Amino acid sequence: MARNIQSLERAAAMLRLLAGGERRLGLSDIASALGLAKGTAHGILRTLQAEGFVEQDDVSGRYQLGAELLRLGTTYLDVHELRARALVWTDDLARSSGESVYLGVLHQQGVLIVHHVFRPDDSRQVLEIGAMQPLHSTALGKVLSAYDPVAHSEVIEADRKPFTDRTVCELESFENVLDITRARGYAADVEETWEGVAGVAAPIHDRRRMPVGAVGITGAVERLCRDGELRPELIAAVRDCARAVSRDLGAGRF
């Protein structure tokens, strides 16, 4: 059996202590509660503070949980709420479009698939929850890049490599694509990531009207496109789904 890393166990115990005790605790209180030497406790606290997981009050010198830990916790809750609110609407979208539906969020300079509804036919399919997609070439990624300032910064700084001869990589051209995405309220991917595959996606907003994810469909070009263009009824269905999930998250009308 693999051995646990003692320093990580102590850091986790320290975070639990700060979460469950008084609002702020001093070094002596923390060391005593965990049975640690003050030097050891101080070293762990200093590391947690450097990472933003713990903050120290300038006046009293006491410690409390930091903003970074709160941000991570909020992200976890947001993603799970997003999935929960989207379940019914994404099922409806798969049935009405006849295509696979994906729900994605920004994660580590890419799109993390947090929900996937299979295409409603008898074909063999692979569940892609947990898969990563690129920001610059997929419909989901373009939506996030267009509406989320953090995603936009990351995609601009990233290496936008070509996946097909249709992939838009040059910065000025890519920015034009994002302008078009914002103007029409959805993003398209027609063989920019995979040959023979097309996709369309729209943004999801929360109660603060902040972009928290994107929903879209992906399928064969011959099914999603007509005369080289995405079928308008599929675009409308994806946008309606995104609006419905946004309303359920408290965003109101978009």
Side-chain angles (χ1 to χ4, degrees), residues 21-243:
E22 301 175 11
R23 181 170 176 79
R24 293 188 179 96
L25 293 174
L27 173 60
S28 297
D29 300 322
I30 294 170
S32 177
L34 299 179
L36 299 175
K38 282 188 178 180
T40 301
H42 186 255
I44 296 172
L45 284 167
R46 189 170 61 244
T47 301
L48 291 173
Q49 185 177 1
E51 296 297 327
F53 296 138
V54 164
E55 295 175 354
Q56 186 179 27
D57 182 69
D58 292 333
V59 177
S60 67
R62 291 173 172 265
Y63 295 90
Q64 65 183 27
L65 293 180
E68 179 65 12
L69 195 64
L70 177 61
R71 187 189 68 81
L72 292 175
T74 302
T75 300
Y76 174 84
L77 292 174
D78 284 350
V79 169
H80 281 262
E81 183 181 7
L82 175 61
R83 287 183 62 191
R85 299 290 186 180
L87 289 177
V88 173
W89 300 111
T90 50
D91 283 348
D92 286 347
L93 178 58
R95 282 193 294 269
S96 65
S97 67
E99 300 296 339
S100 299
V101 178
Y102 296 88
L103 188 68
V105 299
L106 176 66
H107 181 68
Q108 295 181 350
Q109 296 187 325
V111 183
L112 173 66
I113 303 302
V114 297
H115 186 55
H116 174 201
V117 183
F118 283 163
R119 184 170 65 252
D121 59 18
D122 295 328
S123 62
R124 184 175 180 179
Q125 300 172 63
V126 177
L127 187 66
E128 296 188 42
I129 294 175
M132 293 290 293
Q133 294 186 2
L135 283 172
H136 70 287
S137 63
T138 61
L140 291 171
K142 291 179 197 176
V143 164
L144 293 174
S145 300
Y147 287 89
D148 185 337
V150 176
H152 181 260
S153 296
E154 292 190 353
V155 75
I156 294 306
E157 296 171 1
D159 178 20
R160 296 178 300 279
K161 66 178 183 179
F163 295 103
T164 73
D165 58 6
R166 292 173 176 260
T167 309
V168 178
C169 301
E170 194 272 327
L171 181 57
E172 184 176 354
S173 299
F174 182 71
E175 289 284 21
N176 289 336
V177 169
L178 298 186
D179 287 340
I180 293 171
T181 297
R182 285 185 286 265
R184 63 190 184 183
Y186 70 91
D189 166 14
V190 181
E191 296 189 283
E192 293 180 49
T193 310
W194 303 282
E195 296 283 356
V197 177
V200 57
I204 296 172
H205 297 81
D206 65 6
R207 62 184 60 86
R208 300 162 296 177
R209 292 184 174 265
M210 296 293 292
V212 293
V215 63
I217 59 174
T218 301
V221 170
E222 59 266 25
R223 293 197 306 269
L224 268 66
C225 296
R226 183 185 301 125
D227 299 326
E229 300 291 334
L230 286 165
R231 290 162 52 194
E233 65 271 24
L234 294 180
I235 295 172
V238 170
R239 296 190 69 191
D240 286 345
C241 178
R243 291 190 192 102

